[in-house]
Amino acid sequence: MDIRFVPAQKEEYAPLAQFIARQWHTAYDGLLGEAQVKYMTDTFQSAAAIERQVREEGYLYYYIEGEGRRIGYCALHPEKEKLFLSKLYLTEEERGRGIGQKALAAVAEIAAERGLQAVYLTVNTGNARAVRAYEKFGFTRTDHTVTDIGSGFVMVDYIYQYKI
């Protein structure tokens, strides 16, 4: 399947937030628990949060489309020398079909077009499927981090990097 990244427009942030919540619950309820996933989507991926990230921090949000339908989304944050891959999620039915590898290639292409030296990301240490996908693409683990995200929740993540 061919994919394309379509920039999310401001008027789409509310439906995007709903789309995100669905993807996160299917990906993370079993790993983090429904309460933490709800807190994270309500706090960090609401329409207001997305709008603020785009307006104030320079984030780029994209729908990932394939075969004429929305099959995922991606959030990127260009920095001085690197591109932060903040989010990359596919719908449950599209996971495990090689589409993630195509999406990672598109992200690397965006970084290269911007003259950036690398793409980096954080991934939950318990998310074995995502870790395998990133390593398969060529990302290497560079560090780990523990982040207090509020309301008694913490994220324990690996940091991965892919050199352009």
Side-chain angles (χ1 to χ4, degrees), residues 64-140:
I64 302 171
E65 293 186 351
E67 296 179 348
R69 57 192 170 83
R70 291 180 170 164
I71 60 171
Y73 87 103
C74 180
L76 305 173
H77 184 243
E79 298 176 359
K80 186 175 181 181
E81 296 178 359
K82 297 178 182 180
L83 182 66
F84 177 49
L85 173 53
S86 176
K87 312 285 185 293
L88 177 60
Y89 291 87
L90 298 173
T91 58
E92 189 171 22
E93 58 272 14
E94 300 302 338
R95 295 177 198 149
R97 299 183 57 213
I99 297 167
Q101 296 295 300
K102 291 178 182 180
L104 289 172
V107 169
E109 186 175 314
I110 290 168
E113 288 170 355
R114 290 174 170 263
L116 301 174
Q117 299 173 2
V119 176
Y120 77 101
L121 58 89
T122 59
V123 58
N124 186 284
T125 59
N127 193 342
R129 183 180 206 159
V131 166
R132 281 192 306 274
Y134 294 132
E135 290 178 350
K136 179 179 178 182
F137 188 79
F139 279 83
T140 56

